[in-house]
Amino acid sequence: MAKRIEFSTTGSPEVLRYCDFVPAAPAPDEVQVENKAIGINYIDTYVRSGLYPTTSLPSGLGMEAAGVVTKIGANVTSIKVGDRVAYAQSAVGAYSEVHNVQEHRLALLPDSISFEQAAASLLKGLTVYYLFHQTYQIQKDETFLFHAAAGGVGLIACQWAKALGTKLIGTVGSNEKAELAKTAGAWQIINYNHESIVERVLEITGGGKVSVVYDSVGKATWLDSLDCLKRRGLMVSFGNASGPVTDVDLGLLNQKGSLFVTRPAVNGYITTREELNEASNALFDLVATGKIKVDVPESQKFSLSEAATAHQALESRLTHGSSLLIP
């Protein structure tokens, strides 16, 4: 018997229940992981609310955690019992004391990286990796716009941008978050509650605008993001924190300069063990050398039973950086 979070109907954080379950034995291509730290991601709120549909209910929740392998399936060859591992693309159910994960979804965890560091950074770090290196390859000294720069993905993006020698203009909603993003490595900050995003981008760039905008906010920033782009610029919409972008008028892309738009996700870029190793090694190297710090405040570490409280804090924008569930 073990404990996990599940929900039988979609909705607000109150639908999450802390309950007993009997873990299934790992399938031939799976390993069973005893989770030591569990990552909380905004995508989890989309699944819980029903924005991203689940295949069946009741359902577990969460895709990211780090821990120790306790069992392996009959066909598993690259992982052994006792290995320290992290994962970020499992079937939903990581909000649990134990979770079965396919072998090719697991990254071996270097001794230099703690369980909490891994659970707080892997999915967010894989996201930044594909955004900066694959969706659009950011060049040294290039200026670009990144929304929600003090969020979990945003703070890693600020640090990664600094390591690459690029110029990240970050948007935030408060002076406190502005300081966090600036300290993390953002080149310039725009507080959207006090400044016009478009006017400030024009001012910062001398009217030149930017070649790429990374936007995880969605509906609230869609038009501003397009207005910040150069001719033939790329809008990367990778989240829906303010609601999804719907009924897109493709004519706007022509009117605003023959713009490009993409809606990527990590599972469109990192699908094999080789791709996972490449991306996770790049992240872990930056964490191990101190170029990316993923220290989680004690106020943002919740017990597994407090998952609903953690979601309330996340959706109320009361958090910054990463948050964790600790079994």
Side-chain angles (χ1 to χ4, degrees):
M1 194 72 72
K3 293 286 191 180
R4 73 168 186 171
I5 296 295
E6 66 176 42
F7 59 103
S8 298
T9 184
T10 57
S12 63
E14 288 75 17
V15 303
L16 299 179
R17 296 186 296 115
Y18 180 61
C19 58
D20 294 317
F21 81 111
V22 178
D29 65 340
E30 291 181 336
V31 307
Q32 190 165 97
V33 180
E34 180 183 335
N35 290 332
K36 301 297 185 182
I38 301 163
I40 302 171
N41 293 283
Y42 220 96
I43 193 174
D44 301 339
T45 71
Y46 301 158
V47 175
R48 185 214 72 226
S49 68
L51 180 62
Y52 287 3
T54 56
T55 55
S56 63
L57 293 171
S59 173
L61 188 64
M63 299 185 296
E64 176 180 38
V68 176
V69 174
T70 55
K71 296 179 182 179
I72 62 171
N75 297 336
V76 172
T77 59
S78 64
I79 303 288
K80 64 183 186 299
V81 171
D83 279 347
R84 302 172 74 250
V85 295
Y87 58 90
Q89 296 171 275
S90 73
V92 293
Y95 285 17
S96 178
E97 291 177 339
V98 296
H99 189 42
N100 293 342
V101 185
Q102 290 179 303
E103 179 182 15
H104 75 280
R105 299 293 189 188
L106 289 161
L108 288 169
L109 195 57
D111 290 340
S112 57
I113 308 295
S114 72
F115 294 122
E116 290 192 4
Q117 286 177 312
S121 68
L122 186 55
L123 183 57
K124 301 170 185 69
L126 296 182
T127 299
V128 175
Y129 178 85
Y130 84 72
L131 290 175
F132 284 5
H133 294 280
Q134 296 174 313
T135 303
Y136 180 96
Q137 193 160 2
I138 292 290
Q139 302 297 314
K140 190 177 187 303
D141 294 323
E142 186 168 13
T143 302
F144 61 98
L145 182 65
F146 201 103
H147 289 293
V153 174
L155 287 180
I156 290 177
C158 289
Q159 295 175 82
W160 208 312
K162 183 178 180 180
L164 292 173
T166 62
K167 297 178 178 178
L168 181 149
I169 303 171
T171 70
V172 297
S174 70
N175 291 334
E176 178 191 10
K177 290 186 175 183
E179 187 61 33
L180 286 169
K182 190 75 172 178
T183 301
W187 177 61
Q188 297 282 345
I189 294 295
I190 300 170
N191 184 335
Y192 56 74
N193 283 320
H194 299 292
E195 303 171 288
S196 162
I197 293 173
V198 177
E199 289 178 6
R200 281 289 289 134
V201 167
L202 287 169
E203 180 183 345
I204 291 166
T205 62
K209 301 187 177 181
V210 296
S211 296
V212 61
V213 174
Y214 295 106
D215 189 342
S216 63
V217 176
K219 182 178 180 180
T221 49
W222 167 251
L223 292 177
D224 280 348
S225 292
L226 296 183
D227 286 335
C228 291
L229 285 167
K230 294 179 180 179
R231 184 164 55 99
R232 299 197 303 273
L234 175 64
M235 167 64 172
V236 183
S237 176
F238 69 101
N240 314 286
S242 68
V245 178
T246 58
D247 300 322
V248 175
D249 178 2
L250 291 178
L252 279 177
L253 305 181
N254 168 264
Q255 296 166 22
K256 294 181 182 295
S258 298
L259 304 178
F260 295 87
V261 176
T262 185
R263 181 61 171 86
V266 66
N267 58 12
Y269 286 89
I270 300 171
T271 59
T272 67
R273 187 71 183 279
E274 291 73 25
E275 290 169 342
L276 175 60
N277 287 342
E278 177 184 333
S280 62
N281 287 341
L283 170 67
F284 291 153
D285 285 348
L286 290 170
V287 174
T289 57
K291 293 179 180 177
I292 288 180
K293 293 180 171 61
V294 286
D295 299 326
V296 178
E298 289 300 319
S299 62
Q300 291 178 208
K301 296 177 185 178
F302 302 87
S303 68
L304 181 58
S305 62
E306 296 176 310
T309 301
H311 274 219
Q312 289 166 350
L314 182 65
E315 291 181 299
S316 300
R317 302 192 178 185
L318 298 177
T319 65
H320 59 266
S322 299
S323 299
L324 293 173
L325 297 174
I326 307 298

